[in-house]
Amino acid sequence: MTNKWSIRPHTEEDLHRANMLAAELDINPIIGLLLVQRGITTVDAAKKFFRPSLNDLHDPFLMPDMHKAVKRLNKALGNKEKILVYGDYDVDGTTAVSLVYKFLRPYSSTLDYYIPDRYDEGYGISYKGIDYAKENGVSLIIALDCGIKAIDKIDYAKEKGIDFIICDHHMPDDELPKAIAVLDAKRTDSTYPYEHLSGCGVGFKFMQAFAQSNDIAFSELENLLELTAVSIASDIVPITGENRILAYYGLKQLNSNPSIGFKGIINICGLAGKEITISDIVFKIGPRINASGRMMNGKEAVDLLLAKDMQSAREKSENINQYNEDRRELDKRITDEANAIINEIKNIEDQKGIVVYDPTWHKGVIGIVASRLTEKYYRPSVVLTKSSELITGSARSIIGFDIYKAIEACRDLLENFGGHTYAAGLSLREENLDEFIECFMKLAAEDIDPEQMTPQIDIDAVLDLKDINNKFMNELKKMNPFGPSNEKPVFCTLQALDYGTSKKVGKEQEHLKLEIIDRKGGGPIHGIAFGMHQHASYIKEMNSFDLCYTIEENTYNGNTTLQLMVKDIRPSRTEN
């Protein structure tokens, strides 16, 4: 699929501010421009961005219902009530449960945790979970990363004498559950300064408020920040504001003093001795934690994150690693089957959405499959399977199409739904399937412009190869952690040429290992272009080409060099 390149525009005023920041901070003007593009236009703001401070976290009591939540928790602890920490089975939910349980464990001998079974109970608060709480004498449930729409289930719990404190970050409906407290910065009546916290982040703010109310030093909370970093990275929330602070210090802990549970995961991922980044969490740590809930039960992930000895951590890490291997095989098979269904659809190129259904598909991987279909066809995709008496599904979207709103518009046909702009889940009765597909496809056809169906690479700046050096890289690294709303900068270089040593590599010669120069005397510099073997002959014939890329450090045999991770290549449009 051909990519559309979009080089970010900048005004004369942008350039002036970038140069001002560069002069004041002694940084490359390109780094100054990257800051301006992110809305950072003053020296003070730039210093805060480069050096996040825990002192800049917001007062947790600014969140609606926080006083009520803390008061109820204090009462429960004072009366030695049984408390159940309840969370979703994905990374955000399991890290949130681990965080709250870890922090409250020293203050309660009657604390328990619960992760619903994806297949038996489904997403969020379940009647089975409430019944479990009742049978075990629980009088307070702290729900994490779920509950914002569980109106009937919270009413059911009240009938059984069980109170709820909800800590969620998903979009609420107009009516909120009748819990003791509903902590969600996305509430319409919320004036909390930052609305993009992860579910684990909301749990952290609750524990921060609890600590403040009981004169517990903030330093007691700091060993929990590794959990917030993993949740922020895995749940793809913006790494801005409070999330940037929580992710920054969480990564510091993961790299300097991880908990025993995370040590087990780090070892099994092959990350021991390496600097762990947001990317490592997204592609290595997060999927393994997720695999527990996808293939077995998410409670095992919490057991690992709470591990107290290395032997236990090692065994549990090996288990979740095996679940991840099983998940990968399953995900590949179902993706192949979904592609086969799509290949049978007539005029697929004219359709602006994709909905595929097979009642035999494994519920635990359909979200991954939806992501793969969206990436391949660049259309919003809904993947559905059968679960108990309902059809259940996961949806993923493209830039500019709010899939949560699209699914919400079909809500009369649904039993349940929830999610975000680019990812959502849903369930419906089989008799409503055809009507749902018609409704969803109609909305996609109306709302998506043809140009939205071409993947776009956003390029932050044009760079000459001579500007790429260790000083520039060190300044670039200060912009970490990268992620949504602070993406790793993408650069392009125009009129590049082969230095004479570029070649195809890989088992099937499918990749390109580049060594390039440009017409302004820059280079040579190395690059790797995965899956771009088709450009080899053009490049080897000494034609000039443009490339867009991120800049990485590559360490081999103890030597660290700079390398371009190439995202796309195209022939240069003009020759000098």
Side-chain angles (χ1 to χ4, degrees):
M1 186 177 288
T2 304
N3 297 307
K4 179 170 65 179
W5 292 21
S6 175
I7 299 174
R8 294 184 191 276
H10 49 257
T11 64
E12 287 298 320
E13 184 180 357
D14 290 339
L15 291 174
H16 172 74
R17 286 178 171 172
N19 288 329
M20 180 272 292
L21 288 175
E24 290 277 348
L25 298 167
D26 189 26
I27 55 175
N28 189 295
I30 293 288
I31 303 293
L33 185 60
L34 296 176
L35 292 173
V36 171
Q37 288 171 349
R38 286 154 177 76
I40 300 161
T41 57
T42 67
V43 171
D44 284 346
K47 286 179 177 177
K48 282 192 172 187
F49 180 79
F50 283 143
R51 292 190 289 275
S53 171
L54 292 168
N55 292 328
D56 290 328
L57 292 175
H58 301 303
D59 178 356
F61 286 102
L62 295 173
M63 194 175 291
D65 284 2
M66 187 63 82
H67 285 281
K68 294 178 184 176
V70 171
K71 182 180 178 181
R72 181 65 184 90
L73 177 56
N74 283 334
K75 178 185 174 186
L77 292 170
N79 292 338
K80 295 184 167 49
E81 295 178 48
K82 286 190 175 181
I83 302 170
L84 186 66
V85 184
Y86 187 116
D88 189 24
Y89 39 66
D90 68 0
V91 180
D92 196 11
T94 52
T95 53
V97 167
S98 302
L99 185 149
V100 171
Y101 185 85
K102 261 189 177 183
F103 193 66
L104 293 182
R105 186 165 52 187
Y107 307 105
S108 173
S109 59
T110 54
L111 198 63
D112 193 7
Y113 56 92
Y114 188 94
I115 305 292
D117 185 275
R118 182 189 291 262
Y119 307 100
D120 184 33
E121 299 168 75
Y123 167 77
I125 310 299
S126 71
Y127 291 112
K128 183 178 177 180
I130 294 168
D131 289 341
Y132 170 89
K134 180 63 177 176
E135 290 162 11
N136 287 274
V138 170
S139 54
L140 175 63
I141 296 176
I142 300 172
L144 295 147
D145 191 36
C146 60
I148 196 67
K149 294 188 174 186
I151 291 169
D152 293 343
K153 286 157 187 166
I154 303 304
D155 289 344
Y156 177 76
K158 283 187 76 172
E159 290 170 7
K160 293 186 173 292
I162 299 170
D163 288 337
F164 259 88
I165 295 170
I166 293 171
C167 304
D168 206 344
H169 71 130
H170 296 97
M171 292 296 295
D173 280 336
D174 292 337
E175 182 185 355
L176 295 176
K178 293 181 177 64
I180 293 293
V182 178
L183 306 179
D184 189 334
K186 290 189 175 76
R187 283 174 51 164
T188 54
D189 62 342
S190 174
T191 56
Y192 189 74
Y194 190 74
E195 68 172 5
H196 301 298
L197 292 165
S198 64
C200 184
V202 178
F204 179 86
K205 298 304 294 187
F206 183 23
M207 293 301 96
Q208 184 187 1
F210 168 74
Q212 284 180 207
S213 78
N214 289 281
D215 295 322
I216 300 168
F218 183 85
S219 57
E220 297 294 312
L221 287 159
E222 290 185 29
N223 68 335
L224 305 174
L225 292 172
E226 60 181 8
L227 292 159
T228 65
V230 171
S231 80
I232 287 164
S234 300
D235 218 53
I236 324 292
V237 291
I239 303 188
T240 57
E242 277 196 306
N243 282 343
R244 178 170 173 82
I245 299 169
L246 296 171
Y248 179 88
Y249 284 94
L251 280 172
K252 263 190 163 183
Q253 187 188 345
L254 275 178
N255 281 295
S256 62
N257 187 31
S259 63
I260 289 171
F262 274 122
K263 278 180 185 173
I265 303 173
I266 288 166
N267 290 338
I268 208 80
C269 289
L271 292 172
K274 299 179 181 177
E275 183 178 0
I276 296 167
T277 64
I278 291 290
S279 182
D280 291 322
I281 296 172
V282 171
F283 293 108
K284 295 182 178 179
I285 294 173
R288 285 167 171 81
I289 297 173
N290 248 340
S292 176
R294 292 186 189 281
M295 307 303 294
M296 293 295 287
N297 187 292
K299 188 174 187 296
E300 195 165 349
V302 179
D303 294 342
L304 168 58
L305 294 172
L306 297 174
K308 294 182 178 180
D309 63 88
M310 277 310 300
Q311 177 64 25
S312 171
R314 190 178 303 112
E315 290 171 2
K316 289 179 170 60
S317 295
E318 288 170 356
N319 286 348
I320 67 168
N321 193 57
Q322 185 57 54
Y323 298 153
N324 193 50
E325 292 299 314
D326 296 343
R327 185 273 305 166
R328 289 169 68 176
E329 290 179 16
L330 200 58
D331 144 30
K332 183 181 184 307
R333 176 176 65 77
I334 294 175
T335 300
D336 289 343
E337 291 174 6
N339 281 320
I341 293 171
I342 293 166
N343 290 338
E344 295 298 315
I345 299 173
K346 292 180 180 178
N347 303 320
I348 182 64
E349 63 278 0
D350 297 328
Q351 297 192 16
K352 294 182 179 177
I354 290 171
V355 182
V356 287
Y357 169 58
D358 187 313
T360 68
W361 285 341
H362 195 287
K363 184 181 175 183
V365 299
I366 56 174
I368 300 171
V369 174
S371 294
R372 298 201 192 287
L373 298 183
T374 296
E375 185 178 345
K376 179 175 181 178
Y377 300 101
Y378 214 71
R379 290 161 171 76
S381 302
V382 182
V383 179
L384 301 164
T385 188
K386 194 77 177 285
S387 178
S388 299
E389 299 302 310
L390 295 175
I391 289 174
T392 186
S394 286
R396 300 293 184 270
S397 196
I398 58 174
I399 291 172
F401 183 72
D402 189 329
I403 205 153
Y404 176 84
K405 285 187 177 176
I407 289 171
E408 185 181 37
C410 307
R411 67 185 303 158
D412 291 348
L413 303 167
L414 305 176
E415 296 300 302
N416 198 9
F417 70 97
H420 309 288
T421 303
Y422 295 114
L426 65 150
S427 62
L428 67 157
R429 297 194 179 278
E430 193 156 11
E431 58 264 30
N432 291 330
L433 176 60
D434 290 342
E435 200 174 343
F436 167 74
I437 294 173
E438 184 181 344
C439 175
F440 179 80
M441 295 296 281
K442 182 173 180 287
L443 289 164
E446 290 171 351
D447 292 352
I448 296 175
D449 295 326
E451 56 265 29
Q452 282 178 255
M453 295 161 64
T454 300
Q456 177 173 299
I457 299 176
D458 291 320
I459 296 166
D460 293 273
V462 178
L463 207 56
D464 296 331
L465 294 183
K466 63 181 173 56
D467 291 325
I468 302 174
N469 53 42
N470 288 329
K471 182 178 185 299
F472 182 79
M473 186 63 190
N474 288 335
E475 292 172 358
L476 198 60
K477 284 163 67 176
K478 290 180 183 177
M479 297 185 69
N480 271 305
F482 294 117
S485 300
N486 182 39
E487 301 283 358
K488 183 173 288 187
V490 176
F491 304 103
C492 78
T493 293
L494 308 176
Q495 302 279 307
L497 294 165
D498 179 25
Y499 187 58
T501 52
S502 298
K503 59 184 179 181
K504 289 192 279 189
V505 295
K507 189 176 180 181
E508 298 179 11
Q509 300 285 284
E510 69 271 39
H511 312 308
L512 274 180
K513 187 176 182 181
L514 300 171
E515 191 170 12
I516 59 172
I517 55 176
D518 65 19
R519 293 186 182 276
K520 295 184 178 180
I525 191 166
H526 291 278
I528 184 74
F530 291 112
M532 299 185 201
H533 62 93
Q534 70 273 22
H535 298 290
S537 58
Y538 179 87
I539 289 171
K540 293 302 290 179
E541 289 167 4
M542 295 306 292
N543 293 303
S544 66
F545 59 97
D546 305 337
L547 70 165
C548 56
Y549 52 85
T550 59
I551 307 171
E552 314 287 343
E553 287 181 325
N554 182 40
T555 301
Y556 183 72
N557 284 342
N559 295 319
T560 299
T561 57
L562 300 183
Q563 176 177 266
L564 311 183
M565 292 292 291
V566 180
K567 298 176 75 70
D568 201 11
I569 293 172
R570 68 182 185 191
S572 295
R573 293 180 179 175
T574 57
E575 295 282 351
N576 287 344

